[in-house]
Amino acid sequence: MRTVSYIDYLQREGELLAAAADKAGELTPVPTCPGWTTGDLVRHTSTFHRWAARIVAERLPGPVPEDPMPDEPTGAGLLPWFRDGHGHLVRTLRTAGPETDCWAFMPAASPLTFWARRQAHETAVHRVDAESARGGELTPLDPDFAADGIDELLTGFHARPKSRVRAQRPRILRVRPSDAAAAWTVRLSPDAPPRTERSADGQADCELAGRAQDLYLMLWNRLPLTAATITGDAALAALWRETSQIT
């Protein structure tokens, strides 16, 4: 996916998040983020928008500690503050050149591509959180964008040593969206992070199939396991659910 497309998705998802949060109200609990209110969600997301914008704009080498979540703002100032930070991030990414050199914490074609992709998916997942607080139907995700988010999660986040997904013996999990030209084979072991191949070759102990949007949100623990069609050992899908949280 092109960098400019990620930035377009980031802009869209941030606008949808703000609209959902406005309708939900600041003090409404977020079902997909137990213990959080919509206000907590908005402050968290905007704090990460500002952190990413600072890294790109100032060409910071890394690692760069995450910015602390602010106690303020609240009330009438919250959503204008969010929109200001979101807009600043979008403008920063649009005006940064492809040669921009700054810290990125996962492999990518360039640091700019990394931050555009990461913030697009960060914002999309939290937009779903805001819509879960608002109630009603979720705004659909483009299947190719959702498949890209699955790829980032499996080949990026869970390739890192800090991934907690482990199996007592070698196991193979397959993820296969029905509406995108992609599939992943995830090899789990007792003592190493998962190893993911972008293919559907060979046998799998468990396969998760369904729309890319549903698989994306299920793998990010925003939808239940029943959002996918599970073939094979359902305990392996449950293991993912129990151990895959990204912090």
Side-chain angles (χ1 to χ4, degrees):
M1 191 171 288
R2 298 171 59 207
T3 303
V4 67
S5 297
Y6 289 125
I7 301 171
D8 290 343
Y9 281 116
L10 167 63
Q11 182 168 357
R12 171 185 182 269
E13 294 296 324
E15 291 168 356
L16 288 170
L17 191 160
D22 190 27
K23 288 185 178 180
E26 182 181 354
L27 301 180
T28 300
V30 181
T32 49
C33 298
W36 276 19
T37 65
T38 303
D40 296 327
L41 176 71
V42 169
R43 282 184 285 273
H44 166 86
T45 309
S46 192
T47 296
F48 276 83
H49 285 172
R50 286 167 160 79
W51 177 66
R54 181 167 62 87
I55 291 167
V56 174
E58 299 178 20
R59 310 302 198 258
L60 297 179
V64 180
E66 296 170 2
D67 292 340
M69 187 184 294
D71 294 328
E72 298 286 345
T74 60
L78 178 60
L79 287 176
W81 176 78
F82 172 86
R83 290 186 173 105
D84 180 67
H86 172 247
H88 176 58
L89 173 60
V90 170
R91 290 189 298 273
T92 297
L93 294 172
R94 288 203 190 282
T95 57
E99 75 288 347
T100 298
D101 187 17
C102 62
W103 175 62
F105 59 82
M106 292 190 296
S110 70
L112 181 62
T113 298
F114 166 79
W115 283 109
R117 184 191 203 195
R118 176 79 292 277
Q119 289 303 307
H121 288 297
E122 174 86 7
T123 307
V125 170
H126 288 318
R127 182 267 292 173
V128 169
D129 293 329
E131 290 185 346
S132 77
R134 179 208 62 195
E137 296 293 322
L138 296 179
T139 304
L141 283 161
D142 175 78
D144 290 337
F145 177 70
D148 183 82
I150 296 171
D151 187 81
E152 184 204 40
L153 180 65
L154 297 180
T155 69
F157 278 107
H158 284 292
R160 302 187 300 170
K162 64 171 60 178
S163 172
R164 297 186 300 112
V165 180
R166 301 289 189 275
Q168 292 182 346
R169 57 190 174 89
R171 305 286 278 161
I172 297 176
L173 176 69
R174 178 154 299 134
V175 179
R176 191 196 301 265
S178 59
D179 54 355
W184 299 266
T185 298
V186 186
R187 301 181 185 277
L188 282 64
S189 67
D191 53 6
R195 182 166 56 88
T196 299
E197 303 161 5
R198 295 184 180 102
S199 77
D201 296 337
Q203 297 295 314
D205 298 296
C206 177
E207 178 171 297
L208 307 176
R211 296 187 306 166
Q213 169 176 308
D214 295 337
L215 295 174
Y216 175 56
L217 296 177
M218 190 206 72
L219 291 168
W220 273 106
N221 292 337
R222 264 53 185 195
L223 289 178
L225 288 175
T226 53
T229 299
I230 302 175
T231 305
D233 185 2
L236 191 54
L239 174 70
W240 177 278
R241 185 77 173 184
E242 294 163 2
T243 62
S244 65
Q245 184 177 5
I246 301 296
T247 59

